[in-house]
Amino acid sequence: MDSMNTKTIAAEGLDDYPLMRTYGIPPVQFVRGSGTELFDREGKRYLDFLCGLAVTSLGHSHPAVADAIAEQARTLLHVSNLFETAPGLEVASTINRLQGGRGQVFFCNSGAESIEGAIKLARKNGGDGRHVVVSALKSFHGRTLATLHATGKLEMHGAFQPLPDGFRHVPYNDIEALEGALDSSCAAVLLEVVQGEGGVNVADAEYLAEVRSLCDKHNLLMMIDEVQTGLGRTGKWFGWQHYFDPEGDVRPDVVTMAKALGNGVPIGAIWAKKEVAFEAGEHATTFGGQPLAASAARAVLRTMEAIDAPELAKSAGDELMGKLLTVPHVLDTRGLGLLIAAEIDTAAIGKSAGEVALSCLEAGLVVNGVTPTALRLAPPLNVSPEHIDEAIQILTNVLGGE
Ligand SMILES: *Cc1c(COP(=O)(O)O)cnc(C)c1O
């Protein structure tokens, strides 16, 4: 199959390509999407099993979200955070309820900003000389200077020294290593429940409980980065709820979210227990939670609650994981709900996972190579059984045809 879009984009002159090539040269230009389907500028149809990196969890052009955005655009776009608006208040109270209550929400515009805010909360609550945030190797927390230093993919740090002080990395799922890294300079532990960018690595059941105990013992904030895992993706509203009673007292102190919150409209949020939240003057942003983004998030949360999105993710995830194991050269799967990695026998097929992802794209399926040997799949939470079967067929053709 020819990669026509590569040619059409290339034909326009790569020397004059106006975007910084931070993401490589895109092989396709999408123009339209509907539910699980995407269409490129030549009208070719694709199944989107990546969702813009776990963002469009309700599928593309969801009518409830589209209507909310259109209506809000005609009603009130922005008034600044010196004033409150109804969409933001509803979204904040829904998030707080889904976290088990007794907390407060701060809105921002992206995942990295939510982590920046969490880092500030750690420093504020740590106080005198206690400012170090301990995070995991292979973690991903963002690309701003501080969140890049929190990110445990050390190869990303190289060119950007000096990074802000106050970060330390430990192996994931290793409680002794974490305990060994703690000292009187530490203010918080920051972890993902599933390391999305790190390869879809799931936290062990005992690990997070032990992290909670260590945080209590050393008076540290337990901060969970749910930017990728939050809002139903893992089969619970938030990934931490696989590990702790959602209604109980034992839970994280700070939870960050972003990606799926606006189904494609940029919005992020920090939830924190009331006793550790920001107070007047301590944090601010011009756009965070403004009416347009908040009305999209309100439509997302209302829709997700109406369809019980976490339950859909759980059942579709079980089905997809099971069927992946029937695909030739799939060695293993891991993940939670609809955040899944399929480990490929790349040695046998002589292709990296990235190259397999490109073949899938040409065959009409959007996935990505999350490690050199693993594909990541993150379809919409309301993906249909037919689309799952179609995706499995495409993968079977791509991987079986070697
Ligand atoms: C994507 C991601 C971020 C960064 O979010 P941006 O919106 O790209 O800044 C942070 N943490 C995790 C776990 C992510 O997956």
Side-chain angles (χ1 to χ4, degrees), residues 86 118 159 352 365:
S352 69
L365 175 67

Side-chain angles (χ1 to χ4, degrees), residues 53 109-115 140-143 192 194 196-197 225-229 256 258-259 376:
L53 296 165
N109 308 289
S110 69
E113 272 182 64
S114 71
I115 301 295
F140 183 77
H141 299 295
R143 297 285 202 150
E192 297 156 274
V194 181
E197 301 308 299
D225 180 348
E226 297 257 9
V227 169
Q228 189 156 156
T229 50
T256 64
K259 289 192 163 92
R376 171 173 41 182

Side-chain angles (χ1 to χ4, degrees), residues 3-308:
S3 45
M4 56 287 152
N5 281 293
T6 312
K7 278 184 211 129
T8 50
I9 292 171
E12 285 164 10
L14 280 177
D15 285 344
D16 297 331
Y17 196 65
L19 289 167
M20 291 194 195
R21 295 183 193 177
T22 45
Y23 306 97
I25 302 296
V28 56
Q29 190 182 113
F30 293 119
V31 294
R32 185 164 70 79
S34 172
T36 305
E37 297 176 323
L38 275 172
F39 299 88
D40 71 14
R41 58 187 187 171
E42 273 139 42
K44 180 176 158 185
R45 172 183 169 275
Y46 301 77
L47 288 182
D48 187 357
F49 270 48
L50 193 57
C51 281
L53 296 165
V55 168
T56 52
S57 282
L58 291 173
H60 295 284
S61 311
H62 192 283
V65 181
D67 288 350
I69 295 169
E71 192 187 320
Q72 194 63 47
R74 285 190 217 95
T75 307
L76 184 69
L77 270 186
H78 187 87
V79 290
S80 93
N81 284 316
L82 302 178
F83 308 97
E84 66 181 32
T85 60
L89 280 173
E90 180 176 326
V91 173
S93 63
T94 303
I95 289 172
N96 186 42
R97 170 165 52 77
L98 296 174
Q99 294 293 343
R102 295 159 289 155
Q104 291 178 325
V105 170
F106 180 92
F107 289 117
C108 54
N109 308 289
S110 69
E113 272 182 64
S114 71
I115 301 295
E116 284 276 346
I119 294 166
K120 282 180 69 176
L121 281 178
R123 292 187 175 196
K124 158 187 145 74
N125 282 283
D128 221 13
R130 296 174 65 227
H131 67 285
V132 171
V133 173
V134 185
S135 58
L137 290 168
K138 295 193 187 170
S139 65
F140 183 77
H141 299 295
R143 297 285 202 150
T144 63
L145 287 172
T147 62
L148 179 62
H149 205 180
T151 291
K153 297 174 137 198
L154 307 184
E155 67 280 8
M156 285 183 176
H157 297 173
F160 306 104
Q161 306 294 341
L163 292 170
D165 184 29
F167 296 90
R168 200 172 286 172
H169 306 94
V170 292
Y172 194 54
N173 275 334
D174 182 340
I175 198 71
E176 275 91 47
L178 177 60
E179 187 155 24
L182 298 179
D183 60 28
S184 60
S185 69
C186 294
V189 177
L190 170 66
L191 292 169
E192 297 156 274
V193 289
V194 181
Q195 292 185 322
E197 301 308 299
V200 190
N201 311 314
V202 183
D204 293 339
E206 324 76 61
Y207 180 62
L208 289 184
E210 290 168 334
V211 171
R212 178 68 271 178
S213 306
L214 273 184
C215 287
D216 289 339
K217 186 171 153 199
H218 296 273
N219 195 19
L220 310 171
L221 292 187
M222 179 177 184
M223 310 200 299
I224 298 293
D225 180 348
E226 297 257 9
V227 169
Q228 189 156 156
T229 50
L231 300 156
R233 173 60 54 191
T234 67
K236 301 271 189 194
W237 280 107
F238 291 90
W240 67 260
Q241 293 161 348
H242 290 277
Y243 300 82
F244 302 99
D245 175 4
E247 311 287 335
D249 278 332
V250 182
R251 55 184 178 153
D253 301 301
V254 176
V255 177
T256 64
M257 67 205 76
K259 289 192 163 92
L261 186 54
N263 206 55
V265 175
I267 178 168
I270 309 162
W271 175 88
K273 288 181 182 168
K274 250 190 208 137
E275 56 274 26
V276 302
F278 287 122
E279 289 168 71
E282 290 180 336
H283 200 43
T285 169
T286 298
F287 290 125
Q290 53 91 281
L292 184 75
S295 66
R298 179 172 63 179
V300 166
L301 292 172
R302 284 180 181 174
T303 304
M304 283 187 168
E305 292 208 278
I307 65 175
D308 196 352

